Amino acid sequence: MNATDQNGQDTGENGYDYVIVGGGTAGSVLAARLSEDPDCRVCVIEGGPSDVGDERVLRLRNWINLLESEYDYGYTTTEQPRGNSHIVHSRARVLGGCSSHNTLISFLPFPQDLDEWVGMGCAGWDPMTVLPYRRRLRNTIVPVGEEDRNPIARDFVTAAAEALHVPVVEDFNRRPFADGAGFFSLAYDPATNTRSSASVAYLHPVMDKRPNLTLKLRTWAYRLESDEAGRLTRVRVRYADGTTGTVRAERELLLCAGAVDTPRLLLLSGIGPADDLAALGIDVRADLPGVGENLLDHPESVIVWETHEPLPPNSAMDSDAGLFVRRDTAQPRPDLMWHFYQVPFTVNTERLGYPTPPHGVCMTPNVPRARSVGRLWLRSADPAAHPALDFRYFTDPEGYDERTIVDGLRLAREVADTAPLRGWLKREIAPGPGVTSDAELSEYGRRVAHTVYHPAGTCRMGAADDPTAVVDPLLRLRGQEGVRVVDASVFPSMPSINPMVTVLLVAERAADLITGRPGPQPEGGER
């Protein structure tokens, strides 16, 4: 078997011990870990091309140019009556998945995020079990390098700490924090601006050295099929030249296609809400009502300033610093976050008629634990048709998400009005200083709201007696032998912070669950 197969094509049916559908963040980890056993045959089915040697992908600062490019599946949202209906949810079409496509901001999940999972029926996902896997991660995760620390980002950190009375945090992953301002930790090499994505860290060192590892690139999985015994073991795929074939898993089938394409694949295979499937003419294999439900995200809005002059050019990826505050001091976790962009992010403000400054910055108030929950479903039985994504932004009955954005816009103005950041800023472009009431800020904030590209939760994990859980705490697909889901779709609730590292931890733990190997021993301070 070839370690890499650029075109993915086979004649007839190929069998492997493990078939991994999706060569993204989780799939890269599983492929590397399972293929450590030279007698274990592992196949990865990835719809996109390789990232090896592709500077457009490997150079971190180019991330924004990958959005809505040939590397992007470009899923749209349904009409959002209380939000922005024009959001394109970028999902990566390249080896490494979204870790080859995003900003690689890297946070460990808060212990309380994992405690919440346990409280939702996910035994074995407590902080003492999960957080020690940080020591197994192969990615290089470091705070933004000194040479990449733009002077205006430094002054943002200083002003934020002064204005909102929060500490300056040197390393957000050193210990859990309640609030703070600082430069993010990124999975990258500061000397070269090269990504330390899941593919770079886990697959590049081994992909040409392990004959038991096969990568079928530019190969799209569109349906799961059963064997003669009724067990789901086969994946129907379409190759780059348009021909189709079947790949067979002899031990387990591992679905790692992400929070959009994993539930989509299950639905196309007849696993999901029975009435919805029958209405589309799809034969129902299993009535599993939770597939596609519990669609989660981190919504955020934006406030834009023009600067007096162009900014110094150095940066890791133009959103290198951030701010966290805790409005509810009875809680140990922050409940408001901002990314600080060293470029004016105006894709949504322009549509409402706001001007685009020649040079500027913005802050993006973000809802760490949004209470609005959405849903994904199929529009058609045609595998090529994109699913419907309804995030139901800002629809939580108590208005918590909306209030969080309004508070975030107000606090952003306080930071902007504080030295030394204040000296850089010429004027507020959007929404403009005349927009001051709660109602005005809410209307603006919701209409220009965007996503941080963190869809999750659509095949959520839960206890055996939870009728809406799609997988059990061992990540096994309910009612199906030999199938597991390993990606952000299994999250029962959203981690408070950027979730890529949480996906890596889930995948590392999944490798042990699959093989029966013991996990790392906890150390003091894991909480």
Side-chain angles (χ1 to χ4, degrees), residues 21 25-27 30 117 254-263 455-459 475 484-491 502-503 506-507 510:
V21 179
T25 304
L30 282 183
W117 288 14
L254 307 171
L255 306 184
C256 305
V260 174
D261 281 308
T262 288
T458 47
C459 295
L475 306 179
R484 297 192 208 226
V485 177
V486 185
D487 56 33
S489 69
V490 305
F491 292 1
T502 305
V503 175
V506 167

PDB file of all heavy atoms in Angstrom, residues 21 25-27 30 117 254-263 455-459 475 484-491 502-503 506-507 510:
ATOM      1  N   VAL A  21     -12.586   8.599   8.087  1.00  0.00           N
ATOM      2  CA  VAL A  21     -13.239   9.484   7.124  1.00  0.00           C
ATOM      3  C   VAL A  21     -12.978  10.920   7.555  1.00  0.00           C
ATOM      4  O   VAL A  21     -13.553  11.406   8.527  1.00  0.00           O
ATOM      5  CB  VAL A  21     -14.744   9.212   7.031  1.00  0.00           C
ATOM      6  CG1 VAL A  21     -15.392  10.168   6.030  1.00  0.00           C
ATOM      7  CG2 VAL A  21     -15.006   7.762   6.630  1.00  0.00           C
ATOM      8  N   THR A  25      -8.282  17.785  11.642  1.00  0.00           N
ATOM      9  CA  THR A  25      -7.586  17.913  12.918  1.00  0.00           C
ATOM     10  C   THR A  25      -7.596  16.588  13.678  1.00  0.00           C
ATOM     11  O   THR A  25      -6.557  16.077  14.091  1.00  0.00           O
ATOM     12  CB  THR A  25      -8.233  19.028  13.753  1.00  0.00           C
ATOM     13  OG1 THR A  25      -8.234  20.242  12.984  1.00  0.00           O
ATOM     14  CG2 THR A  25      -7.460  19.262  15.037  1.00  0.00           C
ATOM     15  N   ALA A  26      -8.778  16.005  13.874  1.00  0.00           N
ATOM     16  CA  ALA A  26      -8.869  14.749  14.612  1.00  0.00           C
ATOM     17  C   ALA A  26      -8.359  13.582  13.784  1.00  0.00           C
ATOM     18  O   ALA A  26      -7.662  12.696  14.295  1.00  0.00           O
ATOM     19  CB  ALA A  26     -10.315  14.505  15.045  1.00  0.00           C
ATOM     20  N   GLY A  27      -8.702  13.546  12.496  1.00  0.00           N
ATOM     21  CA  GLY A  27      -8.295  12.424  11.657  1.00  0.00           C
ATOM     22  C   GLY A  27      -6.795  12.294  11.531  1.00  0.00           C
ATOM     23  O   GLY A  27      -6.261  11.175  11.479  1.00  0.00           O
ATOM     24  N   LEU A  30      -5.565  10.582  14.765  1.00  0.00           N
ATOM     25  CA  LEU A  30      -5.892   9.155  14.794  1.00  0.00           C
ATOM     26  C   LEU A  30      -5.030   8.369  13.813  1.00  0.00           C
ATOM     27  O   LEU A  30      -4.559   7.264  14.122  1.00  0.00           O
ATOM     28  CB  LEU A  30      -7.365   8.947  14.463  1.00  0.00           C
ATOM     29  CG  LEU A  30      -8.377   9.236  15.567  1.00  0.00           C
ATOM     30  CD1 LEU A  30      -9.771   8.906  15.086  1.00  0.00           C
ATOM     31  CD2 LEU A  30      -8.053   8.455  16.831  1.00  0.00           C
ATOM     32  N   TRP A 117     -19.267  18.714  30.715  1.00  0.00           N
ATOM     33  CA  TRP A 117     -19.478  17.518  29.902  1.00  0.00           C
ATOM     34  C   TRP A 117     -19.861  16.325  30.779  1.00  0.00           C
ATOM     35  O   TRP A 117     -20.800  15.588  30.464  1.00  0.00           O
ATOM     36  CB  TRP A 117     -18.225  17.185  29.108  1.00  0.00           C
ATOM     37  CG  TRP A 117     -17.937  18.110  27.971  1.00  0.00           C
ATOM     38  CD1 TRP A 117     -18.499  19.326  27.730  1.00  0.00           C
ATOM     39  CD2 TRP A 117     -16.991  17.888  26.914  1.00  0.00           C
ATOM     40  NE1 TRP A 117     -17.962  19.885  26.591  1.00  0.00           N
ATOM     41  CE2 TRP A 117     -17.044  19.023  26.076  1.00  0.00           C
ATOM     42  CE3 TRP A 117     -16.111  16.859  26.616  1.00  0.00           C
ATOM     43  CZ2 TRP A 117     -16.239  19.140  24.930  1.00  0.00           C
ATOM     44  CZ3 TRP A 117     -15.310  16.963  25.484  1.00  0.00           C
ATOM     45  CH2 TRP A 117     -15.382  18.094  24.656  1.00  0.00           C
ATOM     46  N   LEU A 254     -14.099   5.135  11.525  1.00  0.00           N
ATOM     47  CA  LEU A 254     -13.927   6.303  12.385  1.00  0.00           C
ATOM     48  C   LEU A 254     -14.306   7.555  11.609  1.00  0.00           C
ATOM     49  O   LEU A 254     -13.655   7.909  10.627  1.00  0.00           O
ATOM     50  CB  LEU A 254     -12.472   6.378  12.871  1.00  0.00           C
ATOM     51  CG  LEU A 254     -11.961   5.089  13.538  1.00  0.00           C
ATOM     52  CD1 LEU A 254     -10.466   5.173  13.787  1.00  0.00           C
ATOM     53  CD2 LEU A 254     -12.711   4.792  14.828  1.00  0.00           C
ATOM     54  N   LEU A 255     -15.367   8.209  12.046  1.00  0.00           N
ATOM     55  CA  LEU A 255     -15.884   9.386  11.343  1.00  0.00           C
ATOM     56  C   LEU A 255     -15.285  10.635  11.961  1.00  0.00           C
ATOM     57  O   LEU A 255     -15.553  10.964  13.122  1.00  0.00           O
ATOM     58  CB  LEU A 255     -17.410   9.416  11.422  1.00  0.00           C
ATOM     59  CG  LEU A 255     -18.125   8.147  10.950  1.00  0.00           C
ATOM     60  CD1 LEU A 255     -19.641   8.357  10.983  1.00  0.00           C
ATOM     61  CD2 LEU A 255     -17.667   7.732   9.564  1.00  0.00           C
ATOM     62  N   CYS A 256     -14.478  11.345  11.169  1.00  0.00           N
ATOM     63  CA  CYS A 256     -13.751  12.533  11.636  1.00  0.00           C
ATOM     64  C   CYS A 256     -13.925  13.679  10.645  1.00  0.00           C
ATOM     65  O   CYS A 256     -13.003  14.471  10.428  1.00  0.00           O
ATOM     66  CB  CYS A 256     -12.261  12.217  11.786  1.00  0.00           C
ATOM     67  SG  CYS A 256     -11.869  10.810  12.829  1.00  0.00           S
ATOM     68  N   ALA A 257     -15.090  13.781  10.042  1.00  0.00           N
ATOM     69  CA  ALA A 257     -15.308  14.749   8.970  1.00  0.00           C
ATOM     70  C   ALA A 257     -15.759  16.113   9.473  1.00  0.00           C
ATOM     71  O   ALA A 257     -15.958  17.023   8.678  1.00  0.00           O
ATOM     72  CB  ALA A 257     -16.328  14.203   7.971  1.00  0.00           C
ATOM     73  N   GLY A 258     -15.911  16.271  10.779  1.00  0.00           N
ATOM     74  CA  GLY A 258     -16.249  17.571  11.333  1.00  0.00           C
ATOM     75  C   GLY A 258     -17.727  17.731  11.622  1.00  0.00           C
ATOM     76  O   GLY A 258     -18.564  16.888  11.281  1.00  0.00           O
ATOM     77  N   ALA A 259     -18.065  18.849  12.262  1.00  0.00           N
ATOM     78  CA  ALA A 259     -19.408  19.058  12.786  1.00  0.00           C
ATOM     79  C   ALA A 259     -20.453  19.313  11.709  1.00  0.00           C
ATOM     80  O   ALA A 259     -21.647  19.309  12.008  1.00  0.00           O
ATOM     81  CB  ALA A 259     -19.400  20.225  13.773  1.00  0.00           C
ATOM     82  N   VAL A 260     -20.026  19.517  10.470  1.00  0.00           N
ATOM     83  CA  VAL A 260     -20.970  19.616   9.354  1.00  0.00           C
ATOM     84  C   VAL A 260     -21.013  18.304   8.584  1.00  0.00           C
ATOM     85  O   VAL A 260     -22.084  17.719   8.370  1.00  0.00           O
ATOM     86  CB  VAL A 260     -20.610  20.782   8.414  1.00  0.00           C
ATOM     87  CG1 VAL A 260     -21.521  20.787   7.182  1.00  0.00           C
ATOM     88  CG2 VAL A 260     -20.723  22.121   9.147  1.00  0.00           C
ATOM     89  N   ASP A 261     -19.871  17.810   8.180  1.00  0.00           N
ATOM     90  CA  ASP A 261     -19.871  16.670   7.268  1.00  0.00           C
ATOM     91  C   ASP A 261     -20.024  15.315   7.947  1.00  0.00           C
ATOM     92  O   ASP A 261     -20.442  14.360   7.289  1.00  0.00           O
ATOM     93  CB  ASP A 261     -18.623  16.705   6.392  1.00  0.00           C
ATOM     94  CG  ASP A 261     -18.777  17.690   5.252  1.00  0.00           C
ATOM     95  OD1 ASP A 261     -19.789  17.600   4.540  1.00  0.00           O
ATOM     96  OD2 ASP A 261     -17.918  18.571   5.096  1.00  0.00           O
ATOM     97  N   THR A 262     -19.721  15.188   9.221  1.00  0.00           N
ATOM     98  CA  THR A 262     -20.013  13.918   9.892  1.00  0.00           C
ATOM     99  C   THR A 262     -21.520  13.687  10.001  1.00  0.00           C
ATOM    100  O   THR A 262     -22.012  12.633   9.593  1.00  0.00           O
ATOM    101  CB  THR A 262     -19.315  13.831  11.251  1.00  0.00           C
ATOM    102  OG1 THR A 262     -17.903  13.648  11.042  1.00  0.00           O
ATOM    103  CG2 THR A 262     -19.830  12.661  12.058  1.00  0.00           C
ATOM    104  N   PRO A 263     -22.310  14.630  10.545  1.00  0.00           N
ATOM    105  CA  PRO A 263     -23.755  14.389  10.560  1.00  0.00           C
ATOM    106  C   PRO A 263     -24.342  14.304   9.160  1.00  0.00           C
ATOM    107  O   PRO A 263     -25.285  13.527   8.925  1.00  0.00           O
ATOM    108  CB  PRO A 263     -24.311  15.578  11.343  1.00  0.00           C
ATOM    109  CG  PRO A 263     -23.252  16.623  11.277  1.00  0.00           C
ATOM    110  CD  PRO A 263     -21.959  15.886  11.232  1.00  0.00           C
ATOM    111  N   PRO A 455     -18.156  25.564  14.448  1.00  0.00           N
ATOM    112  CA  PRO A 455     -19.345  24.717  14.584  1.00  0.00           C
ATOM    113  C   PRO A 455     -19.012  23.444  15.347  1.00  0.00           C
ATOM    114  O   PRO A 455     -17.926  22.876  15.202  1.00  0.00           O
ATOM    115  CB  PRO A 455     -19.746  24.418  13.134  1.00  0.00           C
ATOM    116  CG  PRO A 455     -18.492  24.584  12.342  1.00  0.00           C
ATOM    117  CD  PRO A 455     -17.734  25.679  13.037  1.00  0.00           C
ATOM    118  N   ALA A 456     -19.950  22.997  16.162  1.00  0.00           N
ATOM    119  CA  ALA A 456     -19.706  21.827  17.015  1.00  0.00           C
ATOM    120  C   ALA A 456     -21.053  21.264  17.460  1.00  0.00           C
ATOM    121  O   ALA A 456     -22.106  21.879  17.265  1.00  0.00           O
ATOM    122  CB  ALA A 456     -18.866  22.216  18.234  1.00  0.00           C
ATOM    123  N   GLY A 457     -21.006  20.075  18.058  1.00  0.00           N
ATOM    124  CA  GLY A 457     -22.128  19.555  18.822  1.00  0.00           C
ATOM    125  C   GLY A 457     -23.155  18.722  18.105  1.00  0.00           C
ATOM    126  O   GLY A 457     -24.094  18.227  18.729  1.00  0.00           O
ATOM    127  N   THR A 458     -23.041  18.514  16.798  1.00  0.00           N
ATOM    128  CA  THR A 458     -24.121  17.944  15.997  1.00  0.00           C
ATOM    129  C   THR A 458     -24.230  16.424  16.065  1.00  0.00           C
ATOM    130  O   THR A 458     -25.159  15.849  15.503  1.00  0.00           O
ATOM    131  CB  THR A 458     -23.947  18.368  14.534  1.00  0.00           C
ATOM    132  OG1 THR A 458     -22.579  18.150  14.157  1.00  0.00           O
ATOM    133  CG2 THR A 458     -24.293  19.828  14.350  1.00  0.00           C
ATOM    134  N   CYS A 459     -23.282  15.751  16.731  1.00  0.00           N
ATOM    135  CA  CYS A 459     -23.375  14.310  17.027  1.00  0.00           C
ATOM    136  C   CYS A 459     -22.990  14.131  18.480  1.00  0.00           C
ATOM    137  O   CYS A 459     -22.090  13.373  18.818  1.00  0.00           O
ATOM    138  CB  CYS A 459     -22.453  13.496  16.120  1.00  0.00           C
ATOM    139  SG  CYS A 459     -22.838  13.528  14.373  1.00  0.00           S
ATOM    140  N   LEU A 475     -17.412   7.218  22.527  1.00  0.00           N
ATOM    141  CA  LEU A 475     -17.500   7.781  21.173  1.00  0.00           C
ATOM    142  C   LEU A 475     -18.088   6.800  20.159  1.00  0.00           C
ATOM    143  O   LEU A 475     -17.991   7.021  18.952  1.00  0.00           O
ATOM    144  CB  LEU A 475     -16.125   8.287  20.696  1.00  0.00           C
ATOM    145  CG  LEU A 475     -15.431   9.285  21.632  1.00  0.00           C
ATOM    146  CD1 LEU A 475     -14.071   9.679  21.065  1.00  0.00           C
ATOM    147  CD2 LEU A 475     -16.294  10.515  21.855  1.00  0.00           C
ATOM    148  N   ARG A 484     -17.270   4.819  15.271  1.00  0.00           N
ATOM    149  CA  ARG A 484     -17.108   5.888  16.262  1.00  0.00           C
ATOM    150  C   ARG A 484     -17.054   7.234  15.553  1.00  0.00           C
ATOM    151  O   ARG A 484     -16.681   7.323  14.378  1.00  0.00           O
ATOM    152  CB  ARG A 484     -15.833   5.714  17.077  1.00  0.00           C
ATOM    153  CG  ARG A 484     -15.800   4.443  17.903  1.00  0.00           C
ATOM    154  CD  ARG A 484     -14.669   4.455  18.903  1.00  0.00           C
ATOM    155  NE  ARG A 484     -14.234   3.109  19.188  1.00  0.00           N
ATOM    156  CZ  ARG A 484     -13.998   2.618  20.407  1.00  0.00           C
ATOM    157  NH1 ARG A 484     -14.153   3.402  21.452  1.00  0.00           N
ATOM    158  NH2 ARG A 484     -13.593   1.381  20.565  1.00  0.00           N
ATOM    159  N   VAL A 485     -17.386   8.265  16.290  1.00  0.00           N
ATOM    160  CA  VAL A 485     -17.267   9.642  15.815  1.00  0.00           C
ATOM    161  C   VAL A 485     -16.201  10.327  16.653  1.00  0.00           C
ATOM    162  O   VAL A 485     -16.227  10.261  17.892  1.00  0.00           O
ATOM    163  CB  VAL A 485     -18.605  10.397  15.924  1.00  0.00           C
ATOM    164  CG1 VAL A 485     -18.428  11.855  15.501  1.00  0.00           C
ATOM    165  CG2 VAL A 485     -19.680   9.710  15.082  1.00  0.00           C
ATOM    166  N   VAL A 486     -15.246  10.969  15.986  1.00  0.00           N
ATOM    167  CA  VAL A 486     -14.140  11.633  16.680  1.00  0.00           C
ATOM    168  C   VAL A 486     -13.896  12.974  16.009  1.00  0.00           C
ATOM    169  O   VAL A 486     -13.127  13.084  15.047  1.00  0.00           O
ATOM    170  CB  VAL A 486     -12.850  10.777  16.656  1.00  0.00           C
ATOM    171  CG1 VAL A 486     -11.760  11.445  17.508  1.00  0.00           C
ATOM    172  CG2 VAL A 486     -13.108   9.360  17.130  1.00  0.00           C
ATOM    173  N   ASP A 487     -14.564  13.999  16.459  1.00  0.00           N
ATOM    174  CA  ASP A 487     -14.351  15.376  15.979  1.00  0.00           C
ATOM    175  C   ASP A 487     -15.201  16.292  16.849  1.00  0.00           C
ATOM    176  O   ASP A 487     -15.801  15.849  17.834  1.00  0.00           O
ATOM    177  CB  ASP A 487     -14.680  15.520  14.480  1.00  0.00           C
ATOM    178  CG  ASP A 487     -16.089  15.078  14.108  1.00  0.00           C
ATOM    179  OD1 ASP A 487     -17.004  15.247  14.928  1.00  0.00           O
ATOM    180  OD2 ASP A 487     -16.292  14.562  12.986  1.00  0.00           O
ATOM    181  N   ALA A 488     -15.283  17.575  16.499  1.00  0.00           N
ATOM    182  CA  ALA A 488     -16.011  18.540  17.332  1.00  0.00           C
ATOM    183  C   ALA A 488     -17.502  18.280  17.376  1.00  0.00           C
ATOM    184  O   ALA A 488     -18.200  18.846  18.235  1.00  0.00           O
ATOM    185  CB  ALA A 488     -15.736  19.959  16.844  1.00  0.00           C
ATOM    186  N   SER A 489     -18.024  17.445  16.503  1.00  0.00           N
ATOM    187  CA  SER A 489     -19.460  17.165  16.552  1.00  0.00           C
ATOM    188  C   SER A 489     -19.852  16.427  17.823  1.00  0.00           C
ATOM    189  O   SER A 489     -21.021  16.444  18.207  1.00  0.00           O
ATOM    190  CB  SER A 489     -19.900  16.374  15.316  1.00  0.00           C
ATOM    191  OG  SER A 489     -19.392  15.062  15.319  1.00  0.00           O
ATOM    192  N   VAL A 490     -18.909  15.775  18.513  1.00  0.00           N
ATOM    193  CA  VAL A 490     -19.264  15.034  19.725  1.00  0.00           C
ATOM    194  C   VAL A 490     -19.367  15.937  20.943  1.00  0.00           C
ATOM    195  O   VAL A 490     -19.844  15.489  22.001  1.00  0.00           O
ATOM    196  CB  VAL A 490     -18.265  13.892  20.022  1.00  0.00           C
ATOM    197  CG1 VAL A 490     -18.137  12.970  18.827  1.00  0.00           C
ATOM    198  CG2 VAL A 490     -16.904  14.415  20.471  1.00  0.00           C
ATOM    199  N   PHE A 491     -18.953  17.198  20.858  1.00  0.00           N
ATOM    200  CA  PHE A 491     -19.016  18.088  22.009  1.00  0.00           C
ATOM    201  C   PHE A 491     -20.466  18.187  22.497  1.00  0.00           C
ATOM    202  O   PHE A 491     -21.338  18.607  21.735  1.00  0.00           O
ATOM    203  CB  PHE A 491     -18.556  19.506  21.660  1.00  0.00           C
ATOM    204  CG  PHE A 491     -17.105  19.682  21.333  1.00  0.00           C
ATOM    205  CD1 PHE A 491     -16.225  18.617  21.319  1.00  0.00           C
ATOM    206  CD2 PHE A 491     -16.622  20.953  21.034  1.00  0.00           C
ATOM    207  CE1 PHE A 491     -14.880  18.805  21.007  1.00  0.00           C
ATOM    208  CE2 PHE A 491     -15.289  21.157  20.725  1.00  0.00           C
ATOM    209  CZ  PHE A 491     -14.417  20.080  20.708  1.00  0.00           C
ATOM    210  N   THR A 502      -9.009  21.342  22.077  1.00  0.00           N
ATOM    211  CA  THR A 502      -9.965  20.373  22.615  1.00  0.00           C
ATOM    212  C   THR A 502     -10.190  19.233  21.631  1.00  0.00           C
ATOM    213  O   THR A 502     -10.277  18.066  22.026  1.00  0.00           O
ATOM    214  CB  THR A 502     -11.287  21.063  22.964  1.00  0.00           C
ATOM    215  OG1 THR A 502     -11.045  22.154  23.848  1.00  0.00           O
ATOM    216  CG2 THR A 502     -12.245  20.093  23.642  1.00  0.00           C
ATOM    217  N   VAL A 503     -10.261  19.542  20.338  1.00  0.00           N
ATOM    218  CA  VAL A 503     -10.396  18.489  19.326  1.00  0.00           C
ATOM    219  C   VAL A 503      -9.167  17.580  19.338  1.00  0.00           C
ATOM    220  O   VAL A 503      -9.278  16.349  19.259  1.00  0.00           O
ATOM    221  CB  VAL A 503     -10.616  19.096  17.927  1.00  0.00           C
ATOM    222  CG1 VAL A 503     -10.626  18.006  16.855  1.00  0.00           C
ATOM    223  CG2 VAL A 503     -11.920  19.873  17.881  1.00  0.00           C
ATOM    224  N   VAL A 506      -9.464  15.304  22.316  1.00  0.00           N
ATOM    225  CA  VAL A 506     -10.476  14.273  22.066  1.00  0.00           C
ATOM    226  C   VAL A 506      -9.892  13.172  21.188  1.00  0.00           C
ATOM    227  O   VAL A 506     -10.092  11.969  21.438  1.00  0.00           O
ATOM    228  CB  VAL A 506     -11.729  14.888  21.425  1.00  0.00           C
ATOM    229  CG1 VAL A 506     -12.654  13.806  20.855  1.00  0.00           C
ATOM    230  CG2 VAL A 506     -12.488  15.738  22.442  1.00  0.00           C
ATOM    231  N   ALA A 507      -9.147  13.554  20.165  1.00  0.00           N
ATOM    232  CA  ALA A 507      -8.579  12.557  19.251  1.00  0.00           C
ATOM    233  C   ALA A 507      -7.499  11.718  19.936  1.00  0.00           C
ATOM    234  O   ALA A 507      -7.420  10.496  19.723  1.00  0.00           O
ATOM    235  CB  ALA A 507      -8.018  13.245  18.015  1.00  0.00           C
ATOM    236  N   ALA A 510      -9.313   9.359  22.074  1.00  0.00           N
ATOM    237  CA  ALA A 510      -9.994   8.370  21.247  1.00  0.00           C
ATOM    238  C   ALA A 510      -9.045   7.261  20.808  1.00  0.00           C
ATOM    239  O   ALA A 510      -9.434   6.090  20.744  1.00  0.00           O
ATOM    240  CB  ALA A 510     -10.621   9.045  20.029  1.00  0.00           C
TER     241      ALA A 510
END
